[in-house]
Each structure stands twice: as structure tokens, then as C-alpha cells.
Amino acid sequence: MQIRRTLKINSPTTIRFLTENAAEQIPDFTAEIDQTSIRYEGKQTIIYCGIGKADHCTTATLRSAAARAAQSVQKLKRTSVACIVPSLSIDPVETVRAIIEGICLGAYKFVKYKSEKPVPIATLDLVGATASPGLIRTSRQICEAVNYARDLVNENAGIITPAYLAKEARRLGKNGDLTVTVLDVKSLQRKGLNLITAVGAGSPTPPALILLEYEGAARGRTKTAIIGKGVTFDSGGQNLKPTGSIETMRQDMAGAAAVLAVFSAIVKIKPKLNLIGVIPAVHNAIGSKAFFPGDIYTSYAGKTVEVWSTDAEGRLILADAIAYCRDRYRPAAIIDLATLTGGIITALGEVTAGLFSTNDELARNLFDAGEKTGERLWRLPLYKEYSDSLKGDLGDLRNLSKFKKGNASSITGAAFIREFAGDTPWAHLDIAGTAYNEGSARGEIPQFATGFGVRLLMSYLGI
Ligand code: BES
Ligand code: ZN
Ligand code: ZN
């Protein structure tokens, strides 16, 4: 989508945002949040979008209204649209950003397997936008990254293998500032990343550890690492998932997709920072070579792990990925994103991701980025009792807590991963509820893959 700043309306289709007060002259339109109405006035088609009371209107209201407007534009099959940028009490730059996000993200649909494809919106004119062309470009590039993450998650698990994710990383690495290294199964074995190779053992498509290094600032400046769970399909392994749980498990690489997407935006925007990306990529399969429940495996960090469920595989691959990342890069902070537990859906629904951290400042900054972007987080505790419940009998740790089945599974999952973060400030985002929307579209959040985490991380990184 091309986005331009204009002063005049050059398109027969126009989006207008209206507050309740401003809507008084429009018949049969009260401008409540969620209200959208298409009117024909002379040669113009006007899409009115309600944004409620002026003093309650936030960037989230605007983003969501713009998304609904984009969906109306698509229903009308219009390929160009003008949008009058409203002047509100919100910062004008944030207003523009929210509108771009709403339209670019709201227009997204995964149509690869649909015989009938919608007409894409080719141009968006922002009428009266005060934001700089640079900001407009950056916002668009971030949205394209979100849609890229969505495409990766929505695509068939038969296509999105560990090798495919590695190929995508290498493609991004063609850009000069990004170095991509892929550890194949042989090097994983040689280096002792045994938890990753154990989880990947049952699949005909071998595991990989994908490493991305972006150097946009001076060498030696602080490096943040982002790590994404890349289970390209989670069958549960020998603890096979039942019907009702297994169908959506191609989403289990949504953390990896978010990490790749962040780098896809970074190589275009070229911010002055250093960033490490790590993706443990595996297919958790059932089969004659699959790893065994009850067995004990030695992790890269040296701690031994009793496998009580092959379906609690995310924490296993993250444990090795985090330990290896610390060893190799010594990052100042590690943030992992993982569709880790069904429990987080019980706790926070599809609306909010779980936040766990060993560092209050890191947690606060992530929380703030969540509030700003609308990709919201809520922090949960990591008290000692949770860690105690993970002590092994024959090995050092067990991958399931001793709590009653399912109790506090998101917290004990996080507490397990923490054992491998050492003294590196670390945060874990459990995105199992927010990465995939099984309901219908909600504003800028489409049905199925949502691309959750990309805007959040970009905002956290100050972009
Ligand atoms: N990938 C799943 C978690 C998941 C569930 C993601 C629903 C997205 C939607 C994860 O590997 C898993 O199976 N977790 C188990 C953990 C349990 C065995 C402690 C779960 O949540 O049931
Ligand atoms: Zn699982
Ligand atoms: Zn999983």
C-alpha cells in the first residue's frame, strides 16, 4: 500500500472519523465507537467512523475505527481511499500512526487458499497529516512486518518447517547489517543443545537454531536479545494432543514469526541499535524417533531435565536457546516470546499476554510498550514455591510442576525457563492467547494469526 500526505481529497472514497459531538449534523449517525456508515454524497462515497466522546478517544479507538473503515473500503472494492486526519487531543503524530496501523492491519486477510481474492487497497491519502514522511514510512514498514508475521503463522505447517524459517532468516540476512547463522542438527548435537534435538527428534524435518545479529550501533554497545519459540507444529509428541487442541498448532511458531518480522522491519528502518534474534525451530512430532516421556536429557547449560510431558516442549527448546544465547552473545537483556501454555488463555483470555520477568525495569518498559501499542501485557509472579515445584527426583529439573495437573501452568512454565536465564535480565511473554484469534476479527486484529508482539517489540526498542 502506498501512503501519501495530501492537502486535498483526490479520491472518490473518503474516510471521516467523527466524535459524538461532531456527528450531530449527520442524520442517523451517533458516532458511537464501533459505528460505521457508508454514505453517498454527490460523487463522493464517505465512510463515517464513530470514535465516541472526544475526551475518551484514544489511539486504540482510532486504530480500531480505521481498521473497520479499511474493511468497508474492501467491501466496496475501492483501490484508493482518502482519510481525513482528525484533530483530537491525542498527539497528532500518534493519530497518524494509529490510522496507518488501523488501515494496513485491518485490511489484512490470508487469502492464499481462497479462490476469490479481495481487491487490495493500493493507495491511502492522509489528508492534513502533520506527521513526517519518515514516520509515515516507518509506520507502514512496521505494519508490513506484522502482516508478514501473520502470513508465516497462517501458512500450512507442511510448508513452514524449521528449514523454511531458516531460509527466511537468510533472506533477511542478504541485507548488509544483518548476519544470519543457522546451526543445523549436527552442530546442535556437537554443541550439546540436547533439549532442542530431543524435541526435534521425531520429525522428518530436522531442528535448527537460527541466529540473527543486527549491528546498527557501535560494536560493544548494549545488545538486547529477542528469542521466539519456533515449534512449526506442536502435535504434543508422544503425549499427543487430542482433537480439539491439535488443529491450531501451526500457530506454535508465532514467537519465531514475531522475531523474524521485527528483523524484517529493522533491516529496512536501520535504527541505531544492536539486536540479537534467536529462534529454536523444531517440529514436535510423534513417530518412531520421537523423544520419550520419562527420560532425562542433559541441557546445553548442563542441568538435567526429566521429561514429564513431551507436550511441554516449548520450555525445553527455550531453555537451550536462552542458555546458548547468553553464552555466545552476553546480551544486556533477553526477551522471549512463546505460545507456551493453554493456561495463559484461561488466565487472561485472548486479550492480554502474560509477562514474567526477573527485572522490574525491563518488565515496566515492556508493560508500557504494551499500553502504548495496544498489545497489552499483564505481569504474573515468579515466587519461589513455583520453582520448588519443578525440582526433579532423578534429574535436576522436571518439565512439568508437581502441582495438580494444569494448575498455574503458565507460571511454572515461566519458572522453568527462568532457570536458564541466570543473572541476565530476562522477560518472558506468553502469547498463547494473543497470537491467534479463533473468534472473528476485532478491529485491527484479524481472525487467526494476529502478528502479536511485533509492534510491541518495535515500541520497546524505541522505534
Ligand atoms: N503449544 C502449546 C501451548 C498452546 C496452547 C499454544 C494453546 C497455543 C494455544 C504448548 O506446547 C503446550 O502444549 N502446553 C501445555 C503445557 C502443559 C503440558 C504443562 C498446555 O498448555 O497444556
Ligand atoms: Zn506442547
Ligand atoms: Zn507448544
Side-chain angles (χ1 to χ4, degrees):
M1 188 185 302
Q2 194 197 358
I3 307 177
R4 302 181 300 205
R5 287 193 312 176
T6 59
L7 292 172
K8 278 204 306 240
I9 299 169
N10 298 318
S11 168
T13 315
T14 309
I15 299 168
R16 278 177 193 273
F17 297 98
L18 289 182
T19 60
E20 286 179 11
N21 278 346
E24 273 163 12
Q25 309 103 20
I26 317 281
D28 304 323
F29 191 76
T30 50
E32 282 157 53
I33 290 175
D34 286 348
Q35 198 185 13
T36 308
S37 178
I38 300 170
R39 308 285 169 102
Y40 298 93
E41 296 177 12
K43 286 188 178 155
Q44 276 282 314
T45 304
I46 304 187
I47 302 165
Y48 286 110
C49 294
I51 50 173
K53 295 201 170 29
D55 45 353
H56 292 170
C57 179
T58 63
T59 50
T61 320
L62 215 47
R63 196 183 297 115
S64 175
R68 276 179 286 109
Q71 287 146 16
S72 298
V73 174
Q74 282 180 318
K75 278 199 200 103
L76 293 166
K77 300 196 184 351
R78 305 291 164 94
T79 56
S80 79
V81 66
C83 178
I84 317 267
V85 177
S87 96
L88 300 158
S89 50
I90 311 165
D91 169 42
V93 171
E94 291 306 318
T95 300
V96 171
R97 207 193 254 269
I99 292 174
I100 294 175
E101 288 171 353
I103 293 179
C104 293
L105 302 177
Y108 174 87
K109 275 198 179 68
F110 186 66
V111 293
K112 184 176 167 195
Y113 297 103
K114 273 281 184 200
S115 312
E116 225 173 283
K117 317 266 193 233
V119 200
I121 305 173
T123 53
L124 164 65
D125 284 348
L126 296 170
V127 184
T130 45
S132 70
L135 179 118
I136 292 174
R137 194 182 334 110
T138 304
S139 304
R140 176 176 53 75
Q141 286 165 333
I142 295 173
C143 293
E144 285 166 359
V146 175
N147 289 339
Y148 168 57
R150 292 169 172 182
D151 277 346
L152 285 171
V153 175
N154 281 325
E155 183 53 279
N156 287 351
I159 293 179
I160 308 290
T161 58
Y164 187 98
L165 294 178
K167 197 180 82 204
E168 284 297 292
R170 285 204 193 92
R171 185 176 63 75
L172 298 174
K174 294 228 166 73
N175 185 294
D177 303 319
L178 184 65
T179 312
V180 174
T181 316
V182 179
L183 303 187
D184 63 7
V185 69
K186 283 221 173 70
S187 20
L188 293 174
Q189 282 161 347
R190 215 177 318 115
K191 292 186 193 301
L193 288 130
N194 300 322
L195 299 182
I196 296 180
T197 53
V199 177
S203 173
T205 56
L209 186 67
I210 305 165
L211 307 164
L212 305 99
E213 294 165 66
Y214 169 80
E215 218 171 62
R219 191 161 291 196
R221 283 282 297 277
T222 52
K223 281 187 294 231
T224 305
I226 54 175
I227 305 189
K229 173 178 175 184
V231 176
T232 58
F233 188 79
D234 182 10
S235 73
Q238 312 227 37
N239 293 92
L240 186 66
K241 283 189 184 290
T243 298
S245 302
I246 201 168
E247 296 82 354
T248 59
M249 281 305 137
R250 68 174 195 284
Q251 71 170 287
D252 217 16
M253 37 61 74
V259 169
L260 282 177
V262 164
F263 280 93
S264 78
I266 293 256
V267 294
K268 290 183 196 155
I269 299 167
K270 300 186 188 300
K272 289 191 172 37
L273 52 84
N274 295 334
L275 188 68
I276 304 293
V278 178
I279 298 173
V282 294
H283 165 203
N284 187 22
I286 185 165
S288 57
K289 293 186 178 154
F291 75 129
F292 297 101
D295 277 7
I296 302 167
Y297 295 85
T298 305
S299 67
Y300 175 79
K303 292 186 185 182
T304 56
V305 178
E306 302 170 0
V307 173
W308 283 84
S309 172
T310 58
D311 197 13
E313 83 298 339
R315 62 199 69 182
L316 298 176
I317 63 169
L318 286 167
D320 267 1
I322 287 173
Y324 184 77
C325 174
R326 292 185 62 224
D327 239 22
R328 178 158 177 167
Y329 300 109
R330 310 245 159 252
I334 293 179
I335 302 165
D336 80 67
L337 289 88
T339 45
L340 202 79
T341 62
I344 206 68
I345 311 175
T346 309
L348 301 171
E350 295 195 334
V351 183
T352 313
L355 162 64
F356 302 84
S357 185
T358 49
N359 183 287
D360 290 342
E361 193 188 330
L362 177 60
R364 195 166 40 248
N365 290 338
L366 282 165
F367 176 82
D368 290 347
E371 293 296 303
K372 191 163 175 212
T373 55
E375 297 198 318
R376 286 169 297 187
L377 307 174
W378 197 257
R379 191 172 179 186
L380 291 164
L382 286 168
Y383 301 129
K384 183 174 174 294
E385 289 86 334
Y386 298 111
S387 305
D388 290 345
S389 75
L390 293 164
K391 289 211 172 104
D393 295 315
L394 298 173
D396 301 328
L397 287 168
R398 36 189 291 144
N399 80 332
L400 279 193
S401 80
K402 285 186 174 166
F403 290 167
K404 186 168 160 267
K405 192 168 184 279
N407 275 7
S409 64
S410 310
I411 304 181
T412 54
F416 180 90
I417 300 171
R418 178 206 189 156
E419 296 294 319
F420 298 84
D423 55 7
T424 306
W426 160 82
H428 157 65
L429 311 181
D430 192 337
I431 60 169
T434 50
Y436 200 79
N437 172 21
E438 288 190 55
S440 42
R442 283 178 276 125
E444 74 281 7
I445 303 165
Q447 199 183 9
F448 307 124
T450 64
F452 186 94
V454 179
R455 290 192 301 110
L456 172 86
L457 287 176
M458 294 301 284
S459 168
Y460 169 81
L461 293 169
I463 304 163

